[in-house]
């Protein structure tokens, strides 16, 4: 059991939360040329077009947009 918050998890460490093992997720990178009219987010409460729609079905892994481009930027 590690109680220090600064401990860096290393490959091969057995990490568990409430007894359930946590596994490292696979990293997948996508490069997207965002068209104008879409915002760089996976969900928008205002119903605007977002990159989630463009990336739908691209991966089974969770996708995280990196960087922010406004709606009109390509």
């Amino acid at each position: 059991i590690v109680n220090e918050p600064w401990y860096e998890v290393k490959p091969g460490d057995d990490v568990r939360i409430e007894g359930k093992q946590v596994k490292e997720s696979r990293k997948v990178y996508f490069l997207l040329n965002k068209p104008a009219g879409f915002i760089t987010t996976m969900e928008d409460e205002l119903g605007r077009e977002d990159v989630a729609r463009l990336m739908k079905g691209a991966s089974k892994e969770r996708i995280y947009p990196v960087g922010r481009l406004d709606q009109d930027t390509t």
Side-chain angles (χ1 to χ4, degrees), residues 1-19:
I1 296 176
V2 177
N3 294 316
E4 295 84 13
W6 57 85
Y7 179 80
E8 185 175 334
V9 177
K10 297 171 187 64
D13 283 353
D14 182 19
V15 179
R16 295 176 183 269
I17 297 176
E18 296 180 358

Side-chain angles (χ1 to χ4, degrees), residues 18-71:
E18 296 180 358
K20 185 175 180 181
Q21 188 175 30
V22 177
K23 295 186 180 189
E24 182 179 3
S25 62
R26 184 173 72 117
K27 292 178 175 69
V28 179
Y29 297 88
F30 293 96
L31 176 64
L32 173 68
N33 291 316
K34 184 190 84 61
F38 288 79
I39 59 173
T40 308
T41 186
M42 295 305 287
E43 186 176 318
D44 182 53
E45 63 278 353
L46 301 177
R48 296 173 291 184
E49 295 283 3
D50 54 44
V51 294
R53 181 170 157 245
L54 299 173
M55 299 301 296
K56 186 175 182 177
S59 177
K60 292 180 182 177
E61 309 297 328
R62 184 168 177 189
I63 297 175
Y64 297 91
V66 176
R68 288 294 279 190
L69 296 174
D70 65 24
Q71 193 168 4

